[in-house]
Amino acid sequence: MALPKVKEDALTARLAALPALAGKGWLGAARAEAQGRLAAMGLPSRRDEYWRYTDPASLVAAEAVPAADFHPGDEAPAFDAIDRLKLVFVDGVFDPAQSDDLALAGVEIERLAQAGAADIHWAQGLYGVLEARGQTPVQRPLAALNSAHATDGLLIRVTGRAARPIALIYAHESKTSDAMLHHCVKVEAGAELTLLESGPGAARFTKVLEVEVAEGAQFHHIRVQGRDHERRAATHVFARLGARAEFRSFTLTANGRLTRNEAVLELAGPDARAHVAGAAVGDGDFHHDDTVFVTHAAAACESRQVFKKVLMNGATGVFQGKILVKPGAQKTDGYQISQSLLLDEDSQFLAKPELEIYADDVKCSHGSTSGAIDETALFYLQSRGVPRKAAQGLLVLAFLAEAIQEIADETIADDIRGRLEGWLARHASKGSA
Amino acid sequence: MLEIKNLHVKLEEEDKVILKGVDLKIGPGEVHAIMGPNGSGKSTLSYVLAGRDGYEVTEGSAMLEGQELLEMEPEERAAAGLFLAFQYPVEIPGVGNMTFLRTAVNAQRKARGEDEVSAAEFLKLVREKAKTLKIDAEMLKRPVNVGFSGGEKKRNEILQMAMLEPRMCILDETDSGLDVDAMKLVSDGVNALRDAGRSFLVITHYQRLLDHIKPDVVHIMAAGRIIKTGGPELALEVETNGYADILSEVG
């Protein structure tokens, strides 16, 4: 089916701005297939059903909008206190000088740029494969664009219990950087990995993370997207879980003109568990979109989606979340909650929760709310001597608590709470509540 | 301790006058009770003293140890030594009871220029005071008042009072929703705090609470004014005859 002219032109313009990539090795083949998917879909536009609340124009434009440098002041970089394998990317390019060696007990790590030329590689079964599966029923063209054009990223294979978490740090140095990263993680049966990601990435950052969590394996993912306000980002996590596998992902987003975080999770083996959560705080020119699709394809799996947003001074939050329960996925336990705390009348939250169920013995619940801060609770705290601003901070953190609870590691959870407290102390609503 | 003079209060949103000239003077160490029929303005008085939004003071003053309460923010009133035990304690999901207590204690200490209490010291103090109120470790861990029974909520109010050590305590219908045993527990908690430097204002519908917390002075409030003041015998009179006699007597 031919693309409409307007989509055809947009795609041509975007591709013209990207370097042509050599088609060698397994990666060349995977890129060519992704290019084919992209050509059939075109780039997203506001008219597409899942882009109605978020304008993708600046994400699909040929050039990235420049983003000013950002200095986080005295705030310590995320996960600094944690004993981890540190791997640094600057404007989307791996920087060996700032990184630890690619060596960790229980894990094999390779750079996509180097491993791609081989004829055969384990990542063949993953790279672009989960992304391609995730294109139906909802198209995700930016992910296909990434699979076709990403030049850097890591291929991580976990065979045992990773000795330390792996921390990917994305630094942003050039004002006009337009970075595309693609990572693949394969957690073999019974293996365990914690993956940490932090930093703004680039002026425009397009990222795909494909994760296969095999039978009985565990994958924990914690991400801090950085306080850089100017950046624009579209990220995707595609995960497929085997029997009894566990996947947990938490994202903290503070600031960012435009952030779209997509998570596409498939529970493919029985008794698997997938939890995806996010806390986003935005002030002013802030647009944050969580688009989540969870497929229950096997019996007795559990999924949780917990998304909380605190919005002020005209900030916008979007949540599009779906639970699809396939025929035969009996005893499914699916839960989805999306909530926003609007600190003034200028901010808005747009939510589209969806359930589609083709099994008759399941437990699925979903809820979505928008509300102001509870004045009665505020007064109660003040009457006990807590100053109004501190009381507000306490209530905002309480609002976010359910999302933060999804972080299994208490040290990291405390660090996230500290960051949120810091952010709340720096930002205040100017409007009337 | 507390001196209220000619206090007039109306609702901010509508032209409804609730308090029409309340005068009340409570000395150090004294326990005063205010009784009165529904709608007489008892709870409004407690909210206005604590600084809740939605009320407009049109006339009068309320001085706590020489400081004008009505010009302070609610948290400043608390730091100055005022405490209101709520008729309906507020549930705060996501905030642990212990965190709440510690935040409050330290905020007040900070406001008064005192050092924060250490975590270990605080824990010891809370456990000790919670034990006498039969508040277990589980209740301290749970979010503030969430899933608490009526009695647990009221005991939690008294625990907060015990931890904050206010000089002027207002108890707004602390007996409502309590069974006999819970009322005894709460009253014992209050009585344990009575001393020469701490005063109480007990707002209640019923005399039965005053069997446990013995007042020095009893006031009857009706239609936004204190219409009669007497000793403990006044509460008994209300219990026996209701408010009708007193109301008609005052006219």
Side-chain angles (χ1 to χ4, degrees):
Chain A
M1 197 173 65
L3 281 178
K5 176 85 170 68
V6 54
K7 282 218 168 194
E8 186 76 57
D9 291 349
L11 183 58
T12 306
R14 178 73 182 103
L15 294 177
L18 291 165
L21 294 177
K24 278 196 305 178
W26 69 267
L27 184 57
R31 280 173 176 159
E33 283 178 31
Q35 186 63 43
R37 286 193 292 280
L38 178 64
M41 287 185 271
L43 291 165
S45 79
R46 197 86 201 241
R47 301 173 72 111
D48 298 337
E49 193 188 341
Y50 283 85
W51 288 93
R52 277 195 198 141
Y53 300 144
T54 296
D55 187 350
S58 62
L59 296 173
V60 303
E63 300 289 330
V65 182
D69 292 349
F70 175 77
H71 302 285
D74 56 3
E75 189 178 68
F79 313 128
D80 240 21
I82 290 165
D83 180 24
R84 77 260 203 242
L85 185 83
K86 186 174 156 183
L87 304 173
V88 180
F89 292 81
V90 177
D91 291 314
V93 180
F94 184 68
D95 182 354
Q98 292 191 58
S99 302
D100 293 335
D101 292 339
L102 298 180
L104 184 64
V107 186
E108 295 166 18
I109 311 169
E110 286 170 279
R111 282 183 69 182
L112 177 65
Q114 285 159 1
D119 288 333
I120 297 173
H121 196 277
W122 65 260
Q124 273 174 286
L126 206 47
Y127 188 100
V129 175
L130 294 191
E131 174 257 294
R133 286 180 71 89
Q135 297 291 354
T136 41
V138 179
Q139 295 184 340
R140 305 169 200 281
L142 290 172
L145 175 75
N146 179 296
S147 295
H149 291 274
T151 49
D152 217 333
L154 296 172
L155 306 175
I156 300 171
R157 185 163 162 252
V158 190
T159 51
R161 187 173 179 172
R164 292 186 282 164
I166 295 176
L168 308 181
I169 298 163
Y170 307 120
H172 168 197
E173 286 180 1
S174 153
K175 285 184 178 62
T176 53
S177 56
D178 186 8
M180 249 187 237
L181 279 181
H182 195 123
H183 306 302
C184 291
V185 179
K186 187 171 188 183
V187 191
E188 302 279 11
E192 290 174 32
L193 177 73
T194 296
L195 182 71
L196 309 171
E197 292 185 286
S198 61
R204 180 168 67 184
F205 194 33
T206 313
K207 190 168 61 91
V208 169
L209 169 65
E210 289 173 292
V211 188
E212 187 172 330
V213 193
E215 202 175 303
Q218 288 188 23
F219 177 74
H220 290 185
H221 175 226
I222 298 135
R223 169 164 67 163
V224 173
Q225 289 188 301
R227 279 169 40 219
D228 180 336
H229 188 66
E230 300 285 322
R231 63 127 197 283
R232 288 169 168 80
T235 79
H236 308 77
V237 178
F238 295 94
R240 189 171 142 89
L241 281 72
R244 297 184 317 281
E246 180 177 299
F247 170 96
R248 274 172 189 267
S249 175
F250 171 88
T251 301
L252 169 68
T253 311
N255 303 342
R257 267 189 208 290
L258 176 61
T259 309
R260 162 100 157 196
N261 291 332
E262 296 198 19
V264 184
L265 315 176
E266 185 185 356
L267 295 142
D271 295 302
R273 253 201 295 183
H275 289 199
V276 56
V281 291
D283 179 2
D285 186 5
F286 168 91
H287 186 106
H288 182 89
D289 175 335
D290 282 300
T291 294
V292 181
F293 199 109
V294 176
T295 304
H296 282 260
C301 293
E302 174 192 292
S303 71
R304 285 175 69 86
Q305 304 173 38
V306 182
F307 288 90
K308 305 260 183 163
K309 295 176 171 51
V310 177
L311 305 166
M312 65 174 91
N313 300 319
T316 299
V318 175
F319 174 78
Q320 305 182 101
K322 179 155 181 172
I323 305 174
L324 168 65
V325 180
K326 288 199 163 175
Q330 302 294 7
K331 306 285 179 196
T332 284
D333 182 354
Y335 173 77
Q336 178 197 90
I337 183 91
S338 65
Q339 294 181 305
S340 75
L341 187 61
L342 304 174
L343 295 182
D344 47 56
E345 286 174 359
D346 306 323
S347 303
Q348 64 169 341
F349 178 56
L350 304 157
K352 190 166 113 175
E354 293 176 283
L355 290 179
E356 198 176 329
I357 301 173
Y358 297 101
D360 55 12
D361 182 16
V362 303
K363 190 172 92 185
C364 277
S365 63
H366 67 112
S368 183
T369 65
S370 267
I373 210 148
D374 180 352
E375 284 292 328
T376 316
L378 203 54
F379 172 64
Y380 191 61
L381 284 162
Q382 283 181 277
S383 79
R384 298 304 182 245
V386 184
R388 191 175 170 89
K389 175 116 184 159
Q392 248 169 0
L394 207 57
L395 292 177
V396 171
L397 279 183
F399 166 77
L400 295 170
E402 191 186 355
I404 299 170
Q405 267 163 22
E406 291 294 333
I407 304 171
D409 184 310
E410 263 313 304
T411 312
I412 296 176
D414 280 343
D415 180 76
I416 299 283
R417 276 185 214 107
R419 276 165 210 286
L420 283 162
E421 276 169 23
W423 191 90
L424 291 166
R426 286 186 297 271
H427 296 263
S429 168
K430 298 173 192 85
S432 55
Chain B
M1 178 69 65
L2 179 69
E3 186 165 9
I4 303 169
K5 278 187 186 162
N6 194 29
L7 186 62
H8 287 73
V9 171
K10 67 182 269 294
L11 289 181
E12 228 165 44
E13 300 284 312
E14 41 188 308
D15 257 347
K16 192 172 173 194
V17 181
I18 312 276
L19 300 182
K20 301 167 184 168
V22 173
D23 289 287
L24 184 66
K25 191 172 175 179
I26 303 174
E30 290 179 1
V31 175
H32 287 226
I34 293 188
M35 302 179 74
N38 288 326
S40 57
K42 304 186 302 291
S43 285
T44 298
L45 177 64
S46 68
Y47 283 143
V48 168
L49 291 174
R52 190 180 183 140
D53 278 348
Y55 301 101
E56 190 187 330
V57 175
T58 52
E59 221 183 315
S61 74
M63 310 287 278
L64 179 67
E65 297 189 302
Q67 287 180 282
E68 178 56 81
L69 280 179
L70 302 179
E71 284 166 7
M72 297 183 199
E73 293 299 321
E75 60 266 30
E76 294 168 339
R77 301 177 195 209
L82 184 78
F83 181 90
L84 169 64
F86 281 54
Q87 182 181 357
Y88 303 109
V90 181
E91 297 185 5
I92 313 182
V95 178
N97 212 10
M98 202 70 127
T99 308
F100 168 69
L101 280 168
R102 201 164 147 220
T103 307
V105 167
N106 282 331
Q108 292 203 13
R109 293 181 76 103
K110 197 175 163 198
R112 290 192 292 256
E114 299 162 11
D115 283 342
E116 291 197 350
V117 62
S118 78
E121 205 182 323
F122 177 81
L123 201 65
K124 189 167 162 263
L125 211 60
V126 165
R127 283 194 180 141
E128 195 183 291
K129 304 211 180 213
K131 202 177 163 194
T132 61
L133 286 159
K134 296 201 170 133
I135 290 175
D136 59 17
E138 182 57 31
M139 246 176 94
L140 289 170
K141 259 193 264 169
R142 267 150 58 186
V144 181
N145 293 325
V146 177
F148 286 27
S149 70
E152 286 174 335
K153 283 182 181 172
K154 297 297 170 83
R155 265 147 58 199
N156 201 30
E157 293 291 287
I158 305 306
L159 174 64
Q160 291 164 40
M161 193 163 90
M163 290 301 298
L164 294 167
E165 299 184 327
R167 312 259 288 151
M168 179 71 233
C169 310
I170 304 171
L171 309 179
D172 187 7
E173 301 203 18
T174 295
D175 51 337
S176 68
L178 294 189
D179 60 29
V180 180
D181 293 340
M183 178 135 49
K184 175 95 172 50
L185 209 56
V186 164
S187 306
D188 289 349
V190 172
N191 288 329
L193 290 169
R194 286 180 73 160
D195 72 36
R198 182 172 293 130
S199 310
F200 292 83
L201 179 61
V202 180
I203 295 172
T204 181
H205 273 294
Y206 304 107
Q207 196 269 337
R208 55 178 189 174
L209 179 67
L210 305 178
D211 285 342
H212 298 285
I213 306 171
K214 300 233 184 308
D216 301 303
V217 182
V218 173
H219 309 274
I220 306 296
M221 193 164 179
R225 276 192 203 94
I226 286 172
I227 56 163
K228 191 165 184 180
T229 296
E233 72 286 351
L234 191 53
L236 290 167
E237 192 187 320
V238 169
E239 185 73 2
T240 320
N241 304 328
Y243 291 111
D245 287 358
I246 299 170
L247 292 175
S248 62
E249 179 189 318
V250 178

